[in-house]
């Protein structure tokens, strides 16, 4: 598929490799029994239910596409009978005050600056990767970042705190901020 991001493509490739390892190589191999067996196979390797569900979502997407393209009969769709739980993701904890203070006190480096910048802006790693000077807007001492989110394509505007501006200014000579 050409309509998916590289990270999604990586997941789809991993799912395809696991299907092949399990002996499922063609759409005709996607029977209810084989999907149940595949579920047990990936459950041994992937302990988190959301990861297992993600694998099934990928397979189900391609089964649906194959059904729509008449490569697989509608009644042959194993996901008409097989259901899976999405599970619950682990609750992510925020950095505590001591961890934040320790991060800020680290000697300046690109890695440290990216982490501190994300801390003060809330910007995602993917959005941070694509920042350029074009994303900056200055009005006196006020500085904003504007751009499109990489994942959703939604517009964002972030007012920068002085700590984030300091980091931006440190990389003023670079093409990417």
């Amino acid at each position: 598929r050409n309509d998916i991001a590289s990270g999604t493509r990586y997941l789809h490739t991993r799912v395809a490799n696991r299907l092949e390892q399990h002996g499922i190589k063609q759409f005709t191999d996607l029977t209810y029994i084989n999907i149940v067996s595949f579920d047990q196979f990936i459950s041994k390797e992937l302990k988190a239910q959301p990861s297992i569900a993600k694998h099934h979502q990928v397979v189900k997407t391609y089964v649906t596409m194959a059904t729509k393209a008449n490569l697989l009969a509608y009644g042959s769709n194993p996901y008409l009978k097989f259901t899976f739980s999405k599970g619950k993701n682990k609750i992510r904890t925020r950095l505590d005050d001591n961890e934040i203070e320790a991060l800020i006190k680290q000697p300046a480096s690109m890695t440290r600056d990216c982490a501190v910048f994300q801390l003060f802006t809330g910007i995602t790693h993917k959005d941070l990767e694509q920042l350029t000077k074009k994303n900056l807007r200055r009005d006196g001492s006020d500085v904003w970042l504007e751009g499109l989110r990489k994942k959703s394509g939604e517009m964002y505007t972030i007012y920068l705190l002085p700590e984030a501006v300091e980091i931006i200014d440190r990389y003023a000579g670079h093409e990417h901020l």
Side-chain angles (χ1 to χ4, degrees):
R1 292 180 52 187
N2 296 326
D3 61 336
I4 56 177
S6 61
T8 305
R9 184 172 293 110
Y10 175 77
L11 170 66
H12 288 217
T13 302
R14 296 273 298 156
V15 171
N17 290 340
R18 285 188 172 117
L19 283 166
E20 192 170 340
Q21 287 172 358
H22 190 61
I24 299 174
K25 298 178 182 182
Q26 299 177 355
F27 282 115
T28 54
D29 296 333
L30 291 170
T31 63
Y32 174 79
I33 297 294
N34 285 348
I35 290 297
V36 170
S37 177
F38 178 67
D39 181 70
Q40 293 167 350
F41 172 73
I42 60 176
S43 294
K44 290 175 186 169
E45 183 180 343
L46 307 170
K47 302 299 180 197
Q49 186 58 37
S51 298
I52 296 165
K54 195 60 131 170
H55 277 58
H56 283 296
Q57 287 171 337
V58 169
V59 176
K60 188 175 177 179
T61 296
Y62 286 101
V63 167
T64 300
M65 290 170 66
T67 302
K68 287 180 179 179
N70 292 321
L71 299 172
L72 187 67
Y74 177 78
S76 298
N77 180 344
Y79 287 98
L80 294 175
K81 297 176 187 169
F82 182 83
T83 58
F84 54 92
S85 166
K86 290 184 180 179
K88 295 190 186 237
N89 288 315
K90 283 196 285 186
I91 296 173
R92 296 180 184 177
T93 59
R94 72 169 194 83
L95 296 176
D96 66 33
D97 293 343
N98 293 331
E99 292 168 321
I100 291 170
E101 189 176 328
L103 175 62
I104 292 170
K105 286 183 177 179
Q106 290 290 314
S109 70
M110 179 71 82
T111 303
R112 177 259 184 209
D113 288 345
C114 286
V116 172
F117 190 79
Q118 287 181 279
L119 180 70
F120 281 102
T121 62
I123 196 166
T124 66
H125 179 72
K126 287 293 182 187
D127 293 335
L128 181 60
E129 283 179 342
Q130 65 184 19
L131 280 185
T132 66
K133 292 177 184 131
K134 294 176 187 173
N135 297 100
L136 275 179
R137 192 177 91 210
R138 293 182 186 256
D139 182 13
S141 62
D142 292 331
V143 182
W144 288 268
L145 284 180
E146 295 178 328
L148 294 176
R149 298 265 337 259
K150 174 91 172 157
K151 185 173 182 177
S152 66
E154 295 288 320
M155 181 73 179
Y156 68 83
T157 302
I158 302 171
Y159 178 79
L160 298 185
L161 297 170
E163 294 87 351
V165 174
E166 181 182 316
I167 293 170
I168 286 284
D169 290 344
R170 189 175 303 137
Y171 295 93
H174 293 83
E175 179 182 337
H176 287 280
L177 300 176

